[in-house]
Structure formats: C-alpha cells, structure tokens
C-alpha cells in the first residue's frame, strides 16, 4: 500500500492560467501539510452546492483584470475567426455565381460581388476575349448608359483596365489609382471624366484563365481617394480565379448556342415566297441548346404554294443534320408530287426509315391553291392546324396518324379545307404547346383562346396574328421560361 502522510490541497491560479495560449495552462500548485485527518470524523457544517463553509473568504482581491497581460491565444482566435468569415463569404459568393446560366448574368454577379469585397459602390466590366471571336460586352454597376459612354471616351492607354485589354505593359503591383483628381501625372481626359462623374479612385483587375487567356477586365470606382486593403485584394483574387473559370465555361456555351442558331437558320428558308392571294409570315424561336423544329414554304407550279412544318426527335448535331436533310427531301418531293400530300409524306417516310439515324419525326404538308382558296393537307403525328377568322376559330380535324419512322409503311388520308376571305391558317409545332406548360389538353385550350382573342385591328396582318398568338400563349400559361423547346408558327392569311 501507498503511505500517504498528509493531504495535499491544490490551488489553481485562474489569472495565471488565463494568460496561457488557447486556454490551455499548467496549474500552479501550492502544497501545504494540513495535519492529521482528524477533522474527517468531526461534525460537518451544512454545505451548499459548490461552497465549502469551512474555507474562510479572503478579504483581499486580485489585481484588476484590465491590468493583466492580454492572452496570446486571443490573437489566434481572432485570426481563425477572420479566416472562417472569409471562407464563408467566398462560399456564398461562389454559390451565387454558380447559379448563373447566362454570360451577362454572370458578369453582373461578378461585378456586384467584387464591389462588395473591395468596398466600392460603382464599377464596370469589359468582356473582350483575346481570340476576338466574341461576344463583346460592357456592363456597368451604378453607372448609367451615358456614364459608361463618358468613361469609354478616355483613351484606353490612359486607364489601367484599358491597358490590360489592349495588352499594353502594366505595373507589377495592383492596378490601383488612389487619387484620380489630385494626381497630375494622369491623363487630363481621365481626370476630367472622373471629376464629372464623381469618382476619385479606381481598382482594376484582369480576367484571365490559363486555357482561354485574357477574357476582359473589371474596374471598381471609389467616391473618395482610397484603395482596398491587402487582405481584401487577396480575397478578391481568390474569388476572381473561380469566377473566370465559370465565365470561360459560359463563354463556350454561348458560342455553341450561337453556332447552333446560325446552322439552324441556314437550314431554314432565307425568305418566304410571294404568291398572289395569300400573305405569309413566320414566328420562329430557337431553343438555347438547339432545337429540331423546322418549317418551309415554296412556290409550286401553276400558282400553287407548299407549306410544311415538322420536328425531328432527338438532339445534338445528328438530329440537326437530319432536320436539314428531311426538309431538303420534302422540297424535292413537293415539287414532283406536291398536289398529293399523302404521297409526299410517304416518300419522306421511306427516306427517314432508310437513311436517317433518328428514330422518328413529325411533319405536316399542305398544298395550297390561293386562287381557289383551298388547302389539301396531310399530317404524320403532327399538331392540327388552326383557322382564325371573324366568324370562327377552330382546329382542323385531321386523320390521326403515327409519326414518320414509326411504321414500316405510312399512309393516311388527306383533308381539304377552304379558308374564307380574311381568314388565317396557323401551322405550328408542338414546342409552342410544351412551352405553354401544363397538360396538352389545357395547352390546346390556351392556344385556342389566344387565337380567338386576336384584336380585329391585327387580323389584317399575318405576322401580327402569329406574334400575338405566341406572346399570349407563353405569357398566360405556366410557361417554360428557359425556352427548352423550339417554337415555330407559320401563318397564311388568304385574301
């Protein structure tokens, strides 16, 4: 057994302990013999929680706490708190930027976030990719269009962000001008514009990535002579690194969309034919990822007119190429046997089944004789035409048929209609109905209501009728604002 001669009471000096880093300390122990433990058998005074009545309260007090030396751990805690705050801010700003899906929206978000980080109120970003393929845009924060124009009158070589855009030599340090008004070494025009618009300092930043090179430059403007502290500049640099990568991705997406739209437009008619007795107009909206809806209108022998709309299933370059080939095939078949729409679509069925990789397609072809005001049409899995007039607004009852490519042999009877003078026939793709949102039945009802509500003053113009119908359908419904579907509306108004 251990022979413990006396009890040891340990006193911890709280003040000394508080002076150690991060609250971790070595206690200062004061050992004093307390004699024999006979007091353990003596009667005990009543005890209250945490209080020993046998211990006398000292009348002395320690020195005031404000005279104690500051704990080194507090400095580290402040630094850690600052780092956590910075990381939280970066996380929130990058999350907001990541939610942007369009290049202009991302530039706006980047400009606002940069202004918040460096404590500026105004600024601008000039987006000019160094490969000169576009797009090019200038976006301002807190600056009107006229004020942006005034700033752009300053020679680029006289501004820090302009020198970045022009590829001119720039200072090694931050692109900061702390006193635009008082610095007599600056370009007079730059100082004049700054004085007129009421800003006195600027901080510029190049936008660049390793893969794409220079994308543009941003500059933030201060109302008073100032510059951001070093840690804020570092924070902005970290945010800009992520933002530039995001902008580069959106740039490639924007260019891809532009290329798809260019190819899509090239596959469609450059102009609509002029045929006596009928007025033609088209409303076409291409989906951002590139849609496969198409239309055509061509003059045929003996004053006839061929009208067609259609859609190809699938997506991507192969579907887009199939769209062009189907339209080209339909034009050839329409010239050869356009007076028989069933034969035209039957030939198109064979072409699709034998040569195209897409599984199916819808199409509607109408053979019009404006002099007689008659239309002979046939459809393959396509939406029915709509007639709009003073006395009626109704869908044309077409024979139910499967889309092209779904059957080994396609054939369905044609339908003949006779529009009255002043009536407009609308041929459209199902993208209009899908973008209207909700179920197809309700989308059809919404389209009918929009057509019936065309103002009388607009019914003399086929283009006005088509635009009014599309605008009303897409604005009144649940609407797919992302524009994920093509919209094609081909209008033919008969005299």
């Amino acid at each position: 057994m251990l022979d413990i001669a006396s009890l040891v009471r340990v006193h911890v000096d709280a003040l000394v302990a508080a002076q150690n880093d991060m609250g971790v300390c070595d206690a200062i122990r004061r050992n004093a013999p307390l004699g024999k433990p006979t007091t353990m058998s003596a009667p005990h005074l009543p005890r209250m929680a945490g209080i020993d009545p046998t211990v006398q309260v000292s009348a002395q007090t320690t020195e005031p706490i404000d005279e104690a030396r500051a704990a080194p751990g507090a400095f580290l805690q402040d630094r850690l708190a600052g780092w956590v705050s910075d990381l939280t801010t970066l996380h929130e700003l990058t999350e907001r930027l990541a939610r942007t899906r369009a290049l202009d929206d991302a530039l706006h978000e980047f400009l606002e976030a940069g202004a918040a980080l460096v404590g500026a109120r105004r600024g601008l970003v000039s987006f000019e990719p160094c490969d000169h393929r576009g797009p090019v845009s200038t976006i301002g924060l807190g600056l009107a269009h006229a004020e942006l124009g005034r700033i752009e009158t300053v020679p680029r070589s006289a501004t820090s962000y302009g020198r970045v855009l022009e590829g001119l030599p720039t200072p090694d340090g931050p692109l900061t001008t702390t006193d635009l008004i008082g610095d007599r070494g600056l370009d007079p025009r730059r100082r004049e514009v700054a004085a007129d618009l009421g800003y006195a300092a600027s901080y510029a930043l190049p936008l660049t990535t390793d893969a794409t090179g220079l994308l543009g430059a941003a500059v933030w403007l201060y109302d008073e002579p100032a510059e951001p502290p070093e840690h804020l500049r570092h924070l902005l640099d970290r945010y800009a690194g992520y933002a530039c990568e995001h902008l580069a991705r959106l740039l490639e997406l924007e260019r891809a969309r532009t290329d798809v739209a260019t190819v899509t437009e090239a596959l469609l008619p450059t102009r609509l034919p002029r045929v006596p007795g009928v007025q033609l107009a088209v409303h076409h909206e291409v989906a951002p990822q590139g849609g496969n809806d198409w239309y055509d209108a061509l003059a045929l022998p003996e004053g006839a007119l061929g009208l067609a709309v259609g859609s190809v299933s699938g997506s991507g370059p192969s579907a887009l190429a199939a769209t062009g080939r189907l339209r080209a095939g339909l034009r050839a078949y329409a010239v050869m046997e356009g007076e028989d729409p069933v034969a035209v679509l039957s030939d198109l069925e064979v072409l699709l089944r034998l040569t195209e990789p897409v599984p199916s397609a819808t199409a509607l072809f109408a053979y019009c004789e404006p002099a007689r005001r008659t239309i002979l049409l046939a459809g393959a899995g396509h939406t029915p035409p709509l007639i709009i007039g003073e006395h009626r607004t109704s869908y044309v009852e077409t024979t139910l048929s499967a889309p092209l490519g779904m059957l080994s042999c396609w054939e369905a009877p044609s339908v003949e209609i006779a529009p009255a003078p002043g009536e407009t026939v609308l041929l459209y793709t199902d993208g209009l109905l899908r973008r209207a949102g909700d179920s197809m039945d309700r989308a059809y009802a919404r389209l009918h209501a929009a057509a019936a509500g065309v103002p009388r003053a607009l019914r003399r113009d086929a283009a006005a009728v088509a635009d009014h119908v599309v605008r009303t359908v897409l604005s009144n419904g649940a609407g797919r604002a992302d524009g994920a579907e093509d919209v094609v509306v081909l209008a033919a108004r008969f005299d």
Side-chain angles (χ1 to χ4, degrees), residues 18-391:
Q19 294 175 357
N20 288 274
D21 292 350
M22 303 299 292
V24 179
C25 65
D26 295 326
I28 299 177
R29 301 184 178 186
R30 298 176 181 176
N31 301 335
L34 297 179
K36 295 182 179 181
T38 55
T39 56
M40 296 179 62
S41 59
H44 289 276
L45 297 175
R47 296 176 60 89
M48 298 182 64
I51 300 177
D52 187 352
T54 62
V55 178
Q56 297 182 356
V57 178
S58 173
Q60 297 181 354
T61 59
T62 60
E63 59 179 342
I65 192 67
D66 56 355
E67 296 179 5
R69 182 168 55 89
F75 172 75
L76 295 178
Q77 290 177 346
D78 290 343
R79 289 294 299 272
L80 288 174
W83 292 339
V84 171
S85 176
D86 290 345
L87 290 175
T88 302
T89 300
L90 282 177
H91 175 73
E92 293 175 353
L93 293 179
T94 53
E95 283 287 318
R96 289 172 50 183
L97 183 65
R99 287 193 291 267
T100 57
R101 293 294 180 265
L103 185 58
D104 282 353
D105 293 340
L107 291 173
H108 276 290
E109 179 61 35
F110 171 75
L111 198 57
E112 292 178 358
L117 287 174
V118 300
R121 189 172 61 90
R122 292 178 289 179
L124 66 92
V125 57
S126 183
F127 193 79
E128 299 182 14
C130 61
D131 58 6
H132 305 294
R133 291 176 52 199
V136 175
S137 63
T138 300
I139 294 175
L141 172 68
L143 295 170
H145 184 73
E147 293 174 324
L148 285 175
R150 290 288 305 279
I151 294 176
E152 290 179 344
T153 62
V154 179
R156 281 194 164 186
S157 60
T159 64
S160 52
Y161 82 96
R163 296 182 69 86
V164 170
L165 295 174
E166 294 296 324
L168 300 175
T170 56
D172 295 335
L175 302 177
T176 306
T177 306
T178 57
D179 189 358
L180 288 167
I181 309 300
D183 190 348
R184 298 299 175 181
L186 299 178
D187 183 271
R189 179 60 181 168
R190 185 183 182 188
R191 292 191 289 110
E192 177 187 354
V193 171
D196 291 344
L197 299 184
Y199 61 88
S202 67
Y203 179 72
L205 189 70
L207 307 180
T208 182
T209 68
D210 294 336
T212 61
L214 184 67
L215 295 174
V219 60
W220 290 273
L221 307 174
Y222 295 88
D223 295 340
E224 302 293 338
E227 64 177 325
E230 182 179 356
H231 83 279
L232 291 182
R233 293 199 299 266
H234 175 72
L235 201 61
L236 178 59
D237 288 341
R238 297 294 299 270
Y239 173 73
Y242 171 81
C244 290
E245 296 292 339
H246 184 66
L247 292 173
R249 290 190 293 269
L250 292 180
L251 173 62
E252 292 303 315
L253 182 60
E254 186 81 10
R255 287 175 173 175
R257 290 172 177 171
T258 302
D259 293 342
V260 168
T262 302
V263 173
T264 302
E265 291 298 327
L267 295 176
L268 299 176
T270 56
R271 61 182 180 86
L272 298 176
R274 293 185 178 182
V275 177
V278 65
Q279 180 188 137
L280 299 177
V282 65
H283 184 113
H284 183 209
E285 295 183 11
V286 183
Q289 73 277 12
N292 304 319
D293 290 0
W294 55 274
Y295 67 92
D296 205 351
L298 65 157
L300 298 175
E302 300 180 0
L305 177 68
L307 301 177
V309 291
S311 178
V312 174
S313 63
S315 60
S318 60
L320 189 60
T323 299
R325 289 192 291 266
L326 282 179
R327 174 177 168 265
L330 183 138
R331 290 176 71 91
Y333 301 144
V335 170
M336 292 186 297
E337 47 193 9
E339 67 279 1
D340 185 357
V342 173
V344 171
L345 293 184
S346 296
D347 293 340
L348 204 61
E349 159 73 20
V350 176
L351 175 66
L352 177 68
R353 183 159 41 87
L354 296 180
T355 64
E356 297 301 331
V358 293
S360 66
T362 65
L364 186 146
F365 178 72
Y367 178 80
C368 308
E369 296 182 276
R372 298 175 52 197
R373 285 198 305 276
T374 60
I375 299 178
L376 187 64
L377 59 89
H382 205 77
T383 52
L386 182 62
I387 299 179
I388 304 172
E390 291 289 338
H391 305 291

Side-chain angles (χ1 to χ4, degrees), residues 383-405:
T383 52
L386 182 62
I387 299 179
I388 304 172
E390 291 289 338
H391 305 291
R392 64 171 175 172
T393 299
S394 60
Y395 290 104
V396 178
E397 294 186 4
T398 57
T399 303
L400 183 63
S401 172
L404 300 173

Side-chain angles (χ1 to χ4, degrees), residues 265 283-287 291 293 435 470-471 474 483 485-489:
E265 291 298 327
H283 184 113
H284 183 209
E285 295 183 11
V286 183
D293 290 0
R435 282 186 58 179
V470 173
R471 185 172 60 252
L474 299 185
E485 300 281 348
D486 271 7
V487 172
V488 171
V489 176

Side-chain angles (χ1 to χ4, degrees), residues 457-471:
L458 300 180
R459 297 195 176 192
R460 295 181 178 273
D461 186 359
V465 172
D467 293 343
H468 177 85
V469 169
V470 173
R471 185 172 60 252

